[in-house]
Amino acid sequence: MAGRLLRGGLQAAGLCPRRSCGEAAGLRAMGFSQQQAQRLLDVESRLSPEHREAAVAQLLLLGLNAEATLGLLERRPELLRMPTKRLQERAEKLRCLGLDGGQLQRALIRCPELFTLPRKRMAAAVRLLRERCLFTAEQLREVLWTCPNVLLEEPHQLHHHFQYVYFRMGVQQKEMVKARLFRMPFAELRNRHIFLERRGLYQTPYKGQTQTNNPKLKDIIQLSEKDFLANLARSTPEEFEVFKKLLAREEEEEEGEEENRDALYTEEDEDFDSEGSKPAWE
């Protein structure tokens, strides 16, 4: 009875039992357990055995073990549909950026989107980090393997994130790398920083001089919210929630004022462009 149900399920998925057994055997030969092989067959079940095995083999060649490869494909099944040549090219590009061995593996596990990210988008982010944010090649490599999601950010947002920390908080590149800056969303970092600032616990640099008694960026970023409030802000969750709502309201009001100013300037421009407004020499 169980065998008939299994065959029926495979046929409903578009797979014959014999083909499924053959594919499972091929995956087991690549190092997957029976259970792992079956889970892998459930990912993109209509894919041809040759294409599936070629894509899986490419990931295993990067040094990922069977469980890590399976987890990656369950999260991002579209990787199985990618041409193996493209997987190879993207892995080589990441190696050229300094990621290799364990660093490359960890970066891909944290951020499998690196395989599907458009090349121009990746190149723009890397160029910005090197040329405008002035991270050294070694610092860039550490940023990429510890915070690979940085490559997914829009360049202008990434630059704003960096500038805020560099100019507003007075933190240098070396400390940013050590703190794993780009793991925390910018909005959350800004909330924590301004909260500390308004409680008199963080001073903005004056004429480029950083205040040495400011909390470390690493602590601001890596502490849980509970520990951040208890150890750095010396406040309660309720106070922090009220602050975030007030800050959001302030931002909305500022945006409204900017829109009103823009509208006023637009009206003035239209007046100057109208027929009734003539040059002084006429």
Side-chain angles (χ1 to χ4, degrees):
M1 179 65 177
R4 287 199 300 273
L5 288 174
L6 176 59
R7 286 193 295 272
L10 292 170
Q11 288 167 353
L15 296 173
C16 69
R18 183 176 300 175
R19 173 183 163 184
S20 178
C21 292
E23 285 191 67
L27 293 172
R28 291 193 65 184
M30 299 172 76
F32 292 89
S33 68
Q34 182 66 40
Q35 184 182 22
Q36 289 172 332
Q38 189 55 57
R39 284 168 57 193
L40 192 48
L41 289 175
D42 291 337
V43 180
E44 297 290 334
S45 59
R46 295 182 181 277
L47 203 65
S48 71
E50 295 78 12
H51 195 99
R52 184 190 306 278
E53 290 187 10
V56 169
Q58 187 57 46
L59 294 175
L60 293 173
L61 285 173
L62 296 177
L64 298 175
N65 60 31
E67 185 60 33
T69 299
L70 176 59
L72 193 65
L73 292 173
E74 286 181 328
R75 288 164 58 199
R76 307 296 298 192
E78 64 270 25
L79 296 181
L80 280 174
R81 299 193 301 268
M82 289 179 63
T84 54
K85 185 177 180 180
R86 186 176 172 189
L87 290 173
Q88 293 171 344
E89 289 174 349
R90 181 50 55 88
E92 187 57 36
K93 175 62 178 177
L94 293 169
R95 289 192 184 99
C96 289
L97 293 175
L99 297 178
D100 207 352
Q103 292 181 341
L104 179 58
Q105 295 160 26
R106 285 190 289 272
L108 292 173
I109 290 171
R110 287 195 183 104
C111 191
E113 294 85 354
L114 294 181
F115 271 126
T116 55
L117 185 69
R119 285 182 296 179
K120 288 185 178 180
R121 177 81 169 273
M122 178 183 288
V126 170
R127 187 166 58 251
L128 185 143
L129 290 168
R130 286 286 283 130
E131 297 177 5
R132 303 188 68 181
C133 301
L134 301 179
F135 287 103
T136 66
E138 182 63 31
Q139 288 171 340
L140 175 62
R141 182 171 66 178
E142 189 166 352
V143 167
L144 293 181
W145 78 263
T146 57
C147 312
N149 58 290
V150 72
L151 295 175
L152 306 181
E153 292 194 39
E154 292 287 350
H156 71 277
Q157 294 175 341
L158 180 59
H159 195 214
H160 180 63
H161 196 158
F162 167 82
Q163 286 187 312
Y164 182 92
V165 177
Y166 187 83
F167 292 107
R168 185 82 159 73
M169 298 180 69
V171 177
Q172 300 295 310
Q173 287 89 338
K174 183 178 180 180
E175 189 177 347
M176 293 181 199
V177 174
K178 187 184 299 184
R180 310 293 189 250
L181 169 63
F182 298 105
R183 281 191 182 178
M184 174 171 280
F186 172 69
E188 187 176 348
L189 171 64
R190 184 171 177 269
N191 282 340
R192 290 191 179 195
H193 166 244
I194 296 178
F195 190 58
L196 290 172
E197 194 175 50
R198 293 190 181 179
R199 291 180 66 80
L201 299 172
Y202 200 107
Q203 296 183 23
T204 302
Y206 178 70
K207 293 184 178 181
Q209 297 298 313
T210 304
Q211 303 299 319
T212 56
N213 59 337
N214 280 338
K216 296 293 184 184
L217 180 65
K218 182 178 180 180
D219 294 331
I220 296 174
I221 288 177
Q222 297 186 9
L223 287 176
S224 66
E225 183 172 296
K226 178 181 177 182
D227 291 337
F228 164 76
L229 292 172
N231 301 331
L232 290 187
R234 299 195 286 276
S235 183
T236 64
E238 292 76 16
E239 288 176 319
F240 192 42
E241 285 303 313
V242 170
F243 161 78
K244 287 189 285 187
K245 291 177 181 177
L246 291 174
L247 185 62
R249 188 182 303 170
E250 287 178 18
E251 292 174 349
E252 288 178 3
E253 291 173 354
E254 289 174 1
E255 289 176 2
E257 290 174 0
E258 287 181 3
E259 289 176 359
N260 290 336
R261 284 196 296 270
D262 291 342
L264 177 62
Y265 294 146
T266 301
E267 290 174 2
E268 290 177 350
D269 290 342
E270 290 174 351
D271 289 340
F272 279 120
D273 291 337
S274 66
E275 293 181 1
S277 179
K278 296 185 178 180
W281 60 81
E282 290 189 3

